[in-house]
Amino acid sequence: MPCEVTRTTLPGMTHLPPPAEELRLLDAELRQLDARRAQLLTRRAWLVSTLRRAQQPLPVAWSPTAPPRPETAAPSVQNVLLVLGGVLLTLAAAVFTLVSWGHMGITGRALVLGAVTLAALAGPMLLLKRGLRSTAESVAGLGLALTVLDAYALHEAALTGTDGTGYAAAASAVLAVIWSAYGLLPATAALRLPLPSALAGAQFPLLLWALAADAGPYLITAALLVTAGLDTVVALRVATGSVRIAAVVGAYGMGGWGVLAAGWLSLTADGPGAAARAGGLLLLAAVIALGASWRGPGTRHSLGLAIASGLLTVGAFGGVARSGLPSEWAVPAHLAFGVALLAAMTAGRLPEAIRHGFAWASGVVQALALLWTLPVVTVVLLGPAGWVGRVWSGAPSDARTAVAVEAPWPPDSVTAPVVLVAVAAVLALAIRTGPWRARARLGALGLLWATVLMLPAVLGIPYVAGMAVLGVMTAAALYVRKEAVPAARLTALVLALVTSVSLALTALASQTATLVVLSVLVGLFAAASWQASVTPVTAPAALGYAAALASATGAAMDWPPAPTALLVLAVPVAAALLAARLGEHRATVPVECVGAATGLLAVGLAVTDPPLLALVLALCGVIAAGTALRPGRRPVGYAATALFVLAAWVRLAAWDIGTPEAYTLPVTVPALLVGALRRRRDPRASSWTAYGPGLAATLLPSLVTAWADPHWTRPLLLGTAALLVTLLGARHHLQAPLVLGGSVLALVTLHELAPYVVQVTGALPRWAPPALAGLLLLALGATYEQRIRDVRRVRDVLGRMN
């Protein structure tokens, strides 16, 4: 700065550029820098992603020089080749032994087989030293197969006189020992094949020895079970995986066959001695399963074995008891032993899995026992339905005859109540705590109810006494409804309904019994309906039995079905009054449904008498109209209208009136009145909604009849009525009367003028109709646009009408 410029002159100097312009330039430069920074960051991100992709290997499909992917791994190929080679060598040795054996002497035979077998058994030792384990396994398999051929060759060459089965038993035992020793040698201990093969061979000696000794089925079964027990010991003691798997397979296979055989022997035992021997075999199987469950490694596996052990124990003792008891006590005997299994749950020394398994086994036995009683319960419950086809045919002698109407009485069912009581006692006493306590008590209640239900039939007590028992059961079940538990209340109601139905069906055998029983049931369920919690069930039931009582009363007085319908109508009346009193209660809808169903029953009874049917329909209409007066039941008014119309039609049909207007006018007049009232309340209501149904109900059927009527009276009256309807529609600008009346008037006119049109058409020359048609087309074409405007104007006028 020049020295001549003083400090006082600095504030007055002008900036170049001015501050505002410089600020604008700075902002512009900063915006450019931001844009450049964003561009550089985007470029950097792209470069980073490109470098990352470049570091990853390209997919095989993108690389033109990538080698083809192998479809099979090298170890798999190796195993296939080794197994195939071993199989081929074994087959070759078998063919040599069976076919070419006779061409060589004793020395040659011995040298060939011995050399080949020793070479096959020694080869794996050398292969294992070189690390060729898979090859060693294949060669070892060949060697084991050759030992089997050696045993066969020895029998054919030197021991042909010995028994084949006995020799096979001894040979299988010797081979099992040899293979075990071979697999336990230090040089061959790494092989997996010899020890499982030895265990497989050990499955046959006991069975074959029993067969060779002509032992009975009991010894053969014992041989199977002992073999399964030895397999179980091996499976529990040996840690080698392949040996354990082979032992488990053998134990289940031989044990399964043994259990099936022992079970069959127990079922077919013809005396206590045979049953005891079969029971001993089943106990042996149970002990094997129990031991495996005790020492088993898995919880689920142990649980399943414990269940099997418990079931086998029950089968063993039950089979012995069955042989000395009457046939009807066989199931209770098995049930007793099944219940005794529950005592094992209190034994503290038993593992948890075994205790639970015994509990499950006991439950299975009890369930099977209940299944055995199911035919008896079914006959007792559903058997009385056979009286529907034999109503009032005569009271039976006893309660068993009363239930066994169409179905035969199940044999050996005397002890069925004992089974039900025993299972009920178990449910009530065994389960004392926990969430299942309440369910167990309900189950016990149901079983006791089934017991009492079947006792009259089982004991064969008199018919009246049996019905008295059912009535007391129904009353008792209704009394249990006061129980606070909802599940118990529901169960009691269901039992009461089922028992009452069975009682009502049983009473159909006698007229007096039917009337008395139905009266008692109506009183019981009506009295129970005073408790609000059960009214939705008991009130409809009372109405249903009341309808049945009304029908039975009419039949008892020798009334035809039609007059009986008037008695049945008392039930819909009572249902409507009760529903009005209940209001918004839960029982209202069920009561109304039962009332509607009984009304349909009354209509069905009166179908054969048209005058009485008209009366019944009219009374049903009155009931429906009274129901429609209640708030929320307005739509029932439509049903009332339909019933009144049906009643009028039936009455007219009973008077042999065939004029359709007599049927349609009773519909048209009320419908038009209702439409007029609706239009007065709601002037915006459409005329089609207000007057359309009423007018169509008379005009359309009359039009159809008029077209087939050869006289002139009906068309004249219909045309006059249609003209009046059309004029009223035009006067009040109502679309429905105008369209319906005008259409009917036009059709009636066409019907009346049709003969004259036909006469005129016949008098004209043949060229006249085409000429007239051509003129008509020309006239229409000439005035097409004017006619379109007229049609649009008429459409607008009709659209403005309501």
Side-chain angles (χ1 to χ4, degrees):
M1 181 179 295
C3 57
E4 291 85 3
V5 178
T6 61
R7 188 176 300 274
T8 57
T9 61
L10 287 176
M13 296 180 64
T14 303
H15 290 80
L16 293 176
E21 181 64 20
E22 185 177 1
L23 180 60
R24 186 186 65 78
L25 293 176
L26 290 176
D27 291 339
E29 188 66 25
L30 288 174
R31 284 194 298 271
Q32 293 179 0
L33 290 175
D34 291 338
R36 182 59 177 168
R37 176 181 173 81
Q39 181 181 3
L40 293 175
L41 288 175
T42 303
R43 180 66 177 176
R44 181 183 181 279
W46 180 83
L47 292 174
V48 169
S49 61
T50 303
L51 291 175
R52 289 179 178 175
R53 286 196 301 268
Q55 293 176 0
Q56 296 178 356
L58 290 176
V60 177
W62 293 0
S63 177
T65 60
R69 182 179 179 181
E71 296 182 356
T72 306
S76 301
V77 177
Q78 166 193 307
N79 294 334
V80 170
L81 294 177
L82 292 177
V83 171
L84 183 60
V87 171
L88 293 178
L89 288 175
T90 303
L91 292 176
V95 171
F96 170 77
T97 303
L98 298 175
V99 178
S100 301
W101 183 260
H103 300 289
M104 302 181 65
I106 297 296
T107 306
R109 299 172 188 175
L111 290 177
V112 171
L113 278 178
V116 174
T117 303
L118 290 175
L121 294 176
M125 302 178 186
L126 300 176
L127 294 173
L128 288 174
K129 291 181 179 180
R130 296 178 175 272
L132 303 175
R133 182 172 180 176
S134 299
T135 307
E137 294 283 357
S138 300
V139 176
L142 175 61
L144 299 179
L146 287 175
T147 57
V148 177
L149 296 177
D150 290 339
Y152 170 77
L154 179 62
H155 179 268
E156 293 296 323
L159 302 174
T160 55
T162 60
D163 179 59
T165 306
Y167 178 79
S172 60
V174 172
L175 289 177
V177 174
I178 293 175
W179 292 347
S180 300
Y182 180 72
L184 295 175
L185 291 175
T188 57
L191 295 176
R192 297 180 179 177
L193 188 59
L195 292 180
S197 301
L199 189 60
Q203 306 300 311
F204 304 101
L206 292 178
L207 177 61
L208 294 176
W209 272 329
L211 294 175
D214 291 332
Y218 294 95
L219 289 179
I220 295 175
T221 305
L224 291 172
L225 294 176
V226 170
T227 304
L230 296 176
D231 291 334
T232 303
V233 173
V234 173
L236 295 175
R237 293 300 182 94
V238 178
T240 306
S242 58
V243 178
R244 177 176 293 180
I245 292 175
V248 170
V249 173
Y252 278 109
M254 304 299 284
W257 282 109
V259 168
L260 290 177
W264 176 256
L265 292 174
S266 178
L267 289 175
T268 58
D270 54 358
R277 290 193 295 271
L281 294 175
L282 290 175
L283 281 180
L284 175 60
V287 170
I288 294 172
L290 181 62
S293 174
W294 201 311
R295 301 296 181 183
T299 303
R300 292 185 178 179
H301 196 69
S302 298
L303 179 63
L305 290 172
I307 295 174
S309 176
L311 293 176
L312 291 173
T313 303
V314 173
F317 288 105
V320 175
R322 183 179 63 250
S323 63
L325 293 175
S327 58
E328 60 267 17
W329 287 97
V331 174
H334 284 80
L335 177 61
F337 291 113
V339 174
L341 284 178
L342 294 176
M345 296 183 63
T346 60
R349 296 182 179 181
L350 291 178
E352 190 72 15
I354 294 180
R355 287 191 291 168
H356 288 172
F358 283 175
W360 278 101
S362 178
V364 170
V365 173
Q366 296 176 53
L368 293 176
L370 291 179
L371 188 63
W372 175 75
T373 64
L374 187 59
V376 186
V377 178
T378 303
V379 170
V380 171
L381 284 178
L382 304 180
W387 291 110
V388 175
R390 306 179 182 182
V391 177
W392 297 352
S393 59
S397 59
D398 53 24
R400 180 177 299 183
T401 309
V403 298
V405 183
E406 300 290 343
W409 183 255
D412 299 334
S413 58
V414 178
T415 57
V418 178
V419 173
L420 295 177
V421 171
V423 178
V426 171
L427 290 176
L429 301 177
I431 305 176
R432 300 181 179 180
T433 58
W436 288 92
R437 173 60 176 168
R439 300 178 184 178
R441 293 179 62 186
L442 292 178
L445 176 63
L447 293 177
L448 291 177
W449 167 81
T451 303
V452 180
L453 183 67
M454 70 169 58
L455 272 178
V458 172
L459 300 178
I461 64 177
Y463 171 67
V464 177
M467 288 194 300
V469 172
L470 294 180
V472 173
M473 291 176 61
T474 303
L478 289 175
Y479 178 76
V480 176
R481 75 187 187 277
K482 297 180 180 179
E483 182 70 28
V485 181
R489 186 188 304 115
L490 178 61
T491 304
L493 285 176
V494 172
L495 296 181
L497 288 175
V498 174
T499 309
S500 64
V501 171
S502 179
L503 175 60
L505 292 175
T506 306
L508 292 177
S510 171
Q511 174 178 326
T512 304
T514 301
L515 296 176
V516 172
V517 166
L518 291 178
S519 301
V520 171
L521 291 178
V522 171
L524 285 176
F525 282 94
S529 300
W530 286 101
Q531 187 177 358
S533 59
V534 297
T535 305
V537 177
T538 55
L543 293 174
Y545 286 123
L549 178 61
S551 302
T553 302
M557 291 186 294
D558 293 331
W559 287 4
T564 306
L566 297 176
L567 289 178
V568 176
L569 277 180
V571 178
V573 173
L577 296 176
L578 180 60
R581 182 178 180 84
L582 291 174
E584 299 297 330
H585 195 273
R586 292 182 303 165
T588 302
V589 175
V591 166
E592 291 175 340
C593 292
V594 174
T598 52
L600 292 177
L601 175 62
V603 172
L605 291 174
V607 166
T608 57
D609 190 346
L612 196 56
L613 176 61
L615 177 60
V616 171
L617 290 172
L619 293 177
C620 290
V622 172
I623 298 172
T627 303
L629 296 177
R630 293 166 41 207
R633 295 295 186 269
R634 304 301 184 191
V636 183
Y638 296 106
T641 304
L643 289 171
F644 284 129
V645 171
L646 288 175
W649 287 356
V650 171
R651 183 71 264 182
L652 291 174
W655 287 336
D656 296 330
I657 295 177
T659 304
E661 288 78 12
Y663 295 88
T664 57
L665 286 176
V667 179
T668 298
V669 175
L672 292 178
L673 292 177
V674 172
L677 292 176
R678 181 171 182 180
R679 287 274 299 174
R680 178 173 297 180
R681 294 179 180 178
D682 185 10
R684 294 177 298 178
S686 173
S687 61
W688 288 102
T689 303
Y691 304 116
L695 294 175
T698 294
L699 293 178
L700 297 182
S702 299
L703 177 63
V704 174
T705 306
W707 272 69
D709 193 349
H711 304 287
W712 58 272
T713 306
R714 186 186 302 277
L716 177 61
L717 294 176
L718 179 61
T720 303
L723 178 60
L724 293 176
V725 170
T726 304
L727 294 176
L728 288 174
R731 171 67 179 81
H732 297 284
H733 299 280
L734 298 176
Q735 191 179 99
L738 182 61
V739 173
L740 288 175
S743 301
V744 172
L745 180 60
L747 292 174
V748 171
T749 303
L750 177 63
H751 175 266
E752 293 301 314
L753 296 178
Y756 301 101
V757 174
V758 172
Q759 292 179 3
V760 172
T761 303
L764 291 176
R766 293 189 175 181
W767 55 265
L772 293 175
L775 292 175
L776 178 61
L777 292 175
L778 290 176
L780 290 175
T783 59
Y784 184 78
E785 183 176 2
Q786 181 63 35
R787 293 291 182 264
I788 290 177
R789 286 199 296 266
D790 294 341
V791 171
R792 289 177 178 175
R793 187 179 298 108
V794 172
R795 185 185 63 184
D796 295 338
V797 171
L798 291 176
R800 288 192 296 268
M801 294 182 180
N802 199 353

